[in-house]
Amino acid sequence: MNVRGHTADPRPPADPRPPQDAAAAAFGLTKTYGSGDTAVRALRDVTVHFGRGTFTAVMGPSGSGKSTLMHCLAGLDRPSGGRVFIGERDITALTDRDLTRVRRDRIGFVFQSFNLVPTLTAAQNILLPLELAGRRVEPPRLAHVVDELQIRDRLDHRPSELSGGQQQRVAIARALVTEPDVLFADEPTGALDSRTAATLLNFLRTSCREHGQTVVMVTHDPIAASYADRALLLSDGRLVDELDRPSADTVLDAMRSLAA
Ligand code: ADP
């Protein structure tokens, strides 16, 4: 097992720089919630890079720090220590306003619960982030995303008129229409049946391989993780293992050895 120790020097380099091909990177990331006796160390010295065009699954037991890592990488939460880069930009020291802009312009999100606005059509949901940002949609980009996700004939429907899989495809279209540097997905297939989940995971994999999209996906599901190029394993806030080209079996074995 490829256990990554961080005992040699737990401090991040004084002036860390991400590799040129990294869409996102974290150096010596720590996050502590609360203080004193009740402090919870949710992340402990996590250093990791996400190469452009790669699909990474983040796994680990409940409470191991997966969501915290994703939220810190995506600028939704601020780390207690360490640095986060989106592309070559260090987002750790940005003001709230600049951080909001980076999130809006360079990051896409997909959640388990789709988070679509029920009163808007699929098309209006997809365009909402751009409208809120005062940006014009590039028609070819919209057409590309809609066709790739095969939702062209669903654009005039409201979420309640769509299946779960269709709603999640609309949510992915909404996240991708802005051409984000990184798409963060939090249990994106958690509410879908296995066949619909497979279609979606294939789409995510293809968008990485053929269109250079970078995807970071938190999941509990070893089968979902097997679609990724790499699986990261967190335990107790630490990055403890990293599997290249994971299969459901190698992921399960690694999870079991964590529990042992
Ligand atoms: P996971 O996503 O792997 O289930 P989390 O990142 O949600 O793990 O949580 C990691 C640890 O941090 C857990 O012990 C959790 O209880 C704690 N935690 C997460 N968010 C908060 C918060 N807002 N306040 C206090 N503790 C938190």
Side-chain angles (χ1 to χ4, degrees):
M1 190 166 98
N2 170 25
V3 176
R4 292 165 59 108
H6 292 279
T7 47
D9 183 355
R11 290 163 303 171
D15 187 17
R17 286 272 154 246
Q20 274 195 337
D21 68 344
F27 292 90
L29 211 58
T30 62
K31 177 73 183 180
T32 305
Y33 291 107
S35 59
D37 288 350
T38 56
V40 175
R41 298 181 67 192
L43 291 178
R44 304 169 190 244
D45 188 28
V46 173
T47 294
V48 63
H49 303 157
F50 300 90
R52 284 186 209 287
T54 61
F55 185 4
T56 304
V58 179
M59 305 201 70
S62 186
S64 58
K66 302 182 293 296
S67 304
T68 304
L69 175 62
M70 191 172 87
H71 291 164
C72 288
L73 286 169
L76 287 168
D77 200 354
R78 291 197 184 263
S80 309
R83 301 273 183 84
V84 173
F85 288 81
I86 295 295
E88 289 177 2
R89 184 145 193 210
D90 182 348
I91 66 164
T92 329
L94 294 181
T95 61
D96 283 349
R97 205 171 144 195
D98 288 342
L99 194 56
T100 302
R101 194 169 296 144
V102 167
R103 271 203 313 264
R104 195 184 67 195
D105 294 344
R106 302 182 60 178
I107 291 172
F109 297 100
V110 181
F111 304 92
Q112 177 173 343
S113 52
F114 319 139
N115 289 6
L116 299 175
V117 181
T119 52
L120 300 182
T121 64
Q124 289 166 333
N125 266 287
I126 293 168
L127 296 176
L128 188 63
L130 288 167
E131 276 174 13
L132 291 176
R135 279 168 58 187
R136 265 174 35 81
V137 64
E138 301 293 336
R141 176 67 186 170
L142 179 63
H144 171 76
V145 165
V146 162
D147 288 337
E148 284 281 320
L149 285 154
Q150 299 180 4
I151 49 174
R152 183 165 288 283
D153 60 346
R154 290 285 173 271
L155 290 179
D156 294 333
H157 292 68
R158 292 201 163 68
S160 61
E161 298 161 341
L162 302 174
S163 69
Q166 289 166 346
Q167 289 186 61
Q168 193 59 304
R169 280 188 272 153
V170 171
I172 293 177
R174 177 181 57 185
L176 290 182
V177 77
T178 59
E179 298 190 70
D181 287 4
V182 190
L183 175 68
F184 289 99
D186 194 354
E187 299 275 2
T189 55
L192 304 177
D193 65 77
S194 55
R195 232 175 92 194
T196 311
T199 307
L200 235 132
L201 290 160
N202 267 319
F203 171 81
L204 291 178
R205 181 159 65 179
T206 304
S207 63
C208 294
R209 293 202 176 153
E210 292 179 12
H211 304 298
Q213 182 63 52
T214 308
V215 176
V216 179
M217 170 179 76
V218 168
T219 182
H220 277 103
D221 177 3
I223 295 176
S226 72
Y227 285 78
D229 303 313
R230 176 174 68 144
L232 305 178
L233 257 84
L234 290 178
S235 176
D236 202 16
R238 286 197 174 83
L239 183 56
V240 292
D241 203 355
E242 194 173 320
L243 305 172
D244 277 329
R245 273 170 279 149
S247 68
D249 285 340
T250 57
V251 168
L252 260 179
D253 283 349
M255 298 275 284
R256 283 203 193 102
S257 71
L258 273 186

